Amino acid sequence: MVKHRSRPGWTDVEEYLSATLVQGGPGMEAVLASIGAAGMPRIEVAPTAGKLLMLLVRIQGARRVLEIGTLAGFSTIWLARGLPDDGHITTCEYLPEHAAVAAKNIAAAGFADMVNIRVGPALDTLPTLLAGDPYDFVFIDADKANNVAYLQWALKLTRSGSVIVMDNVIWEGTILHPEHDPDAAAIRAALDFMGSNPALDATAIQTAGSKGWDGFAIAVVQ
Ligand code: SAH
Ligand code: DHB
Ligand code: MG
């Protein structure tokens, strides 16, 4: 008799990849648990994607990172893990409740001195960052409606050679029919901006797994 097994799915493969390659450690499990415990939405990046952020930061040799959309600090901690000891992250979070959970998680992970959480609408915070040095790496992962505005701010706050990563650029494929979903339309506008702006050289990768069908765009500032 042939032994029948159920066909592996995207999430099974992601679990295997996480267990084999990511090994976030007990601290990262606690961060994930804190999201559910605080009643926050489970919209953090997958562990495999978090580690991708860490590796991209390392590969680029970034020292200064800007994040838009903190939630509980899961992606923030992955970004911080890719930085040298004198690295810095500014992360923008609209909701004080989310920022409070993130601050606790970031401190527990040992990155309190490296991370500055700026509470409030990111579009209020971003202009205040013009006074500082340019950022080497930007991760955009907040309200999708403002994605084009975030890209425009990212261009003002970076230098030639900086990297911009944007989460959720596939949105279950709805970017091809954005008529009924304002978020899908805004994501598509951001992709169109990346593809047509000579200041950016970009691509996007689709992902499938625990976060459904989605993906990242990655761009280098020219
Ligand atoms: N990057 C996080 C997930 C972020 S979820 C991770 O992967 O772990 C999106 C976050 O953006 C939420 O916490 C939400 O409160 C925040 N947000 C929504 N609108 C915002 C705005 N206008 N300015 C700053 N943050 C915003
Ligand atoms: C949502 C937001 C995200 O940043 C994400 O990665 C997944 C879902 C959301 O708002 O539904
Ligand atoms: Mg996201």
Side-chain angles (χ1 to χ4, degrees), residues 108-121:
F111 295 114
D113 293 342
M114 198 184 272
V115 179
N116 186 6
I117 307 177
R118 297 286 302 265
V119 182

Side-chain angles (χ1 to χ4, degrees), residues 17 19 25 49 56 65 106 128 133 154 162 172 174 187 201 205 216:
L17 293 175
L56 288 172
V65 172
I106 290 163
T128 72
D133 290 337
S162 293
E172 300 285 342
T174 56
I187 293 162
D201 203 9
I205 299 290
F216 290 96

